[in-house]
């Protein structure tokens, strides 16, 4: 049995800003290198410049198959009405 492969995971972009009129944003997740085994990544939202009042994102998991390096998802939904031109950031 070989030791588990250690991989780094992150978002393709370090931050995302959108106008409030944009109701959703899809985030791209990528591995630093391709895995030789399936990789499961758990995710959850953490407030930063945007707070939980600004978005909705259910915790979940993404599964990368061997050789897969990036995946599209999850999608964060804006919960605030489209009013004004204020921008909200995720990241």
């Amino acid at each position: 049995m070989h030791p588990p492969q250690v991989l780094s995971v992150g978002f393709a972009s370090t931050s995302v800003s959108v106008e409030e009129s944009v109701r959703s944003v899809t985030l791209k997740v990528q591995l630093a290198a391709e895995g030789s085994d399936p990789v499961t990544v758990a995710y959850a939202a953490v407030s930063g410049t945007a707070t939980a009042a600004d978005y909705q994102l259910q915790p979940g998991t993404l599964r990368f198959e061997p050789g897969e390096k990036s995946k599209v998802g999850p999608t964060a939904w804006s919960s605030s009405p489209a009013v004004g031109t204020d921008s909200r950031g995720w990241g």
Side-chain angles (χ1 to χ4, degrees):
M1 184 171 172
H2 58 84
Q5 186 177 9
V6 177
L7 298 172
S8 296
V9 64
F11 293 112
S13 298
T14 57
S15 67
V16 177
S17 292
V18 296
E19 296 299 320
E20 281 193 19
S21 61
V22 176
R23 299 297 292 166
S24 68
V25 61
T26 300
L27 307 173
K28 184 176 180 181
V29 179
Q30 61 189 23
L31 298 175
E34 296 175 354
S36 55
D37 295 313
V39 175
T40 302
V41 177
Y43 62 85
V46 177
S47 294
T49 58
T51 65
D54 296 320
Y55 63 87
Q56 298 171 5
L57 179 65
Q58 296 299 315
T61 59
L62 294 175
R63 181 181 168 93
F64 293 83
E65 297 301 329
E68 207 173 13
K69 193 173 174 182
S70 66
K71 215 167 236 329
V72 175
T75 300
W77 295 94
S78 170
S79 61
S80 46
V83 175
T85 58
D86 187 21
S87 63
R88 303 292 178 188
W90 288 276

